[in-house]
Amino acid sequence: MAPIKISYVVSFSSQDPKYPAENLLSEDGIQPWLGCPKKHSRQLSVELQLERASPIGYVDIGNNGCAFLQIEVGRSSWTCDQPYLTLVPTVTLMTPADSKLDQNRYGVRMFKEGKD
Protein backbone atom coordinates (compact mmCIF):
# COMPACT_ATOMS: atom_id res chain seq x y z
CA MET A 1 0.00 0.00 0.00
CA ALA A 2 1.40 3.39 -0.97
CA PRO A 3 1.91 6.05 1.72
CA ILE A 4 -1.00 8.41 2.27
CA LYS A 5 -0.14 12.08 2.08
CA ILE A 6 -1.03 14.37 4.97
CA SER A 7 -2.78 17.39 3.46
CA TYR A 8 -2.54 19.85 6.33
CA VAL A 9 -2.34 20.41 10.06
CA VAL A 10 -5.85 21.03 11.40
CA SER A 11 -4.80 21.95 14.95
CA PHE A 12 -2.02 21.49 17.50
CA SER A 13 -1.58 22.05 21.21
CA SER A 14 1.84 23.74 21.15
CA GLN A 15 4.79 24.32 18.85
CA ASP A 16 8.32 25.66 18.91
CA PRO A 17 8.61 28.53 16.38
CA LYS A 18 11.77 26.86 15.01
CA TYR A 19 10.06 23.45 14.73
CA PRO A 20 6.38 24.07 13.88
CA ALA A 21 3.71 21.40 13.47
CA GLU A 22 3.78 22.01 9.69
CA ASN A 23 7.14 20.19 9.68
CA LEU A 24 5.08 17.00 9.86
CA LEU A 25 4.07 17.70 6.25
CA SER A 26 7.68 17.80 5.03
CA GLU A 27 8.51 15.28 2.33
CA ASP A 28 12.11 16.38 1.76
CA GLY A 29 13.74 15.20 4.95
CA ILE A 30 13.31 14.75 8.64
CA GLN A 31 11.79 17.86 10.18
CA PRO A 32 10.67 17.50 13.80
CA TRP A 33 7.64 19.09 15.43
CA LEU A 34 8.50 20.18 18.96
CA GLY A 35 6.46 21.79 21.70
CA CYS A 36 7.09 25.37 22.73
CA PRO A 37 10.14 25.46 25.06
CA LYS A 38 8.49 28.16 27.21
CA LYS A 39 5.50 25.92 27.89
CA HIS A 40 6.51 22.85 29.83
CA SER A 41 3.50 20.82 28.78
CA ARG A 42 3.66 17.15 29.51
CA GLN A 43 1.32 16.35 26.64
CA LEU A 44 1.26 17.48 23.03
CA SER A 45 -1.39 16.75 20.44
CA VAL A 46 -1.79 17.36 16.75
CA GLU A 47 -4.74 16.80 14.43
CA LEU A 48 -3.83 16.01 10.83
CA GLN A 49 -6.01 15.82 7.71
CA LEU A 50 -5.17 13.08 5.19
CA GLU A 51 -5.58 13.80 1.49
CA ARG A 52 -8.42 11.29 1.23
CA ALA A 53 -10.30 8.73 3.30
CA SER A 54 -8.20 5.57 3.23
CA PRO A 55 -7.81 2.31 5.08
CA ILE A 56 -4.74 2.48 7.30
CA GLY A 57 -2.62 -0.67 7.18
CA TYR A 58 0.37 0.66 9.10
CA VAL A 59 1.82 3.85 10.55
CA ASP A 60 5.52 4.75 10.79
CA ILE A 61 6.33 7.20 13.59
CA GLY A 62 9.65 9.00 13.94
CA ASN A 63 10.43 9.87 17.53
CA ASN A 64 12.26 12.96 18.79
CA GLY A 65 12.18 12.64 22.57
CA CYS A 66 8.59 11.48 23.01
CA ALA A 67 8.06 9.02 25.85
CA PHE A 68 4.50 7.90 25.06
CA LEU A 69 2.34 7.88 21.95
CA GLN A 70 -1.32 7.28 21.19
CA ILE A 71 -2.95 7.52 17.77
CA GLU A 72 -6.65 8.15 17.32
CA VAL A 73 -8.55 8.40 14.04
CA GLY A 74 -11.83 9.81 12.82
CA ARG A 75 -13.56 11.16 9.77
CA SER A 76 -14.21 14.79 8.94
CA SER A 77 -17.81 13.83 8.12
CA TRP A 78 -18.45 12.72 11.72
CA THR A 79 -20.40 14.99 14.05
CA CYS A 80 -18.36 17.03 16.53
CA ASP A 81 -19.61 14.97 19.49
CA GLN A 82 -18.50 11.63 18.02
CA PRO A 83 -15.24 10.56 19.71
CA TYR A 84 -12.20 9.41 17.80
CA LEU A 85 -11.37 5.70 17.62
CA THR A 86 -8.08 4.44 19.00
CA LEU A 87 -5.83 3.14 16.23
CA VAL A 88 -2.71 2.69 18.40
CA PRO A 89 -3.25 2.52 22.16
CA THR A 90 -0.76 4.32 24.38
CA VAL A 91 2.69 2.80 23.80
CA THR A 92 6.06 3.57 25.38
CA LEU A 93 8.70 4.96 23.02
CA MET A 94 11.26 5.77 25.74
CA THR A 95 11.77 4.16 29.13
CA PRO A 96 11.88 6.35 32.24
CA ALA A 97 15.63 5.63 32.49
CA ASP A 98 16.18 6.73 28.85
CA SER A 99 14.26 9.92 29.55
CA LYS A 100 16.26 10.76 32.69
CA LEU A 101 19.59 10.00 31.00
CA ASP A 102 18.55 11.71 27.73
CA GLN A 103 19.25 8.52 25.76
CA ASN A 104 17.48 6.81 22.86
CA ARG A 105 15.55 9.99 22.02
CA TYR A 106 15.44 9.26 18.30
CA GLY A 107 14.04 6.30 16.43
CA VAL A 108 11.31 5.06 14.15
CA ARG A 109 8.58 2.59 15.07
CA MET A 110 6.15 0.89 12.73
CA PHE A 111 2.69 0.05 13.99
CA LYS A 112 0.56 -2.30 11.96
CA GLU A 113 -2.61 -4.25 12.51
CA GLY A 114 -2.19 -6.93 15.14
CA LYS A 115 1.35 -5.84 16.07
CA ASP A 116 3.25 -2.86 17.44
Side-chain angles (χ1 to χ4, degrees):
M1 181 184 305
I4 302 168
K5 183 177 178 184
I6 300 170
S7 294
Y8 61 93
V9 175
V10 177
S11 65
F12 54 87
S13 59
S14 175
Q15 69 179 359
D16 183 323
K18 293 180 184 177
Y19 302 101
E22 284 75 19
N23 281 354
L24 297 171
L25 307 177
S26 174
E27 294 181 24
D28 62 348
I30 299 171
Q31 298 292 323
W33 160 54
L34 301 176
C36 181
K38 294 179 182 178
K39 296 180 182 178
H40 298 288
S41 175
R42 301 188 65 133
Q43 184 175 346
L44 297 175
S45 63
V46 65
E47 185 175 348
L48 305 169
Q49 176 75 44
L50 301 180
E51 67 181 346
R52 66 183 183 280
S54 304
I56 299 173
Y58 67 91
V59 177
D60 289 336
I61 298 290
N63 187 27
N64 189 347
C66 177
F68 303 101
L69 171 76
Q70 180 173 323
I71 301 173
E72 298 177 332
V73 295
R75 295 185 67 117
S76 58
S77 62
W78 287 357
T79 61
C80 293
D81 61 339
Q82 185 167 354
Y84 289 127
L85 301 174
T86 300
L87 181 66
V88 176
T90 302
V91 294
T92 303
L93 299 178
M94 291 175 62
T95 66
D98 286 342
S99 183
K100 288 178 185 175
L101 297 171
D102 200 27
Q103 297 178 8
N104 299 320
R105 293 179 50 85
Y106 311 103
V108 176
R109 292 267 309 265
M110 175 189 268
F111 301 93
K112 61 186 200 175
E113 191 174 359
K115 298 182 180 182
D116 82 26

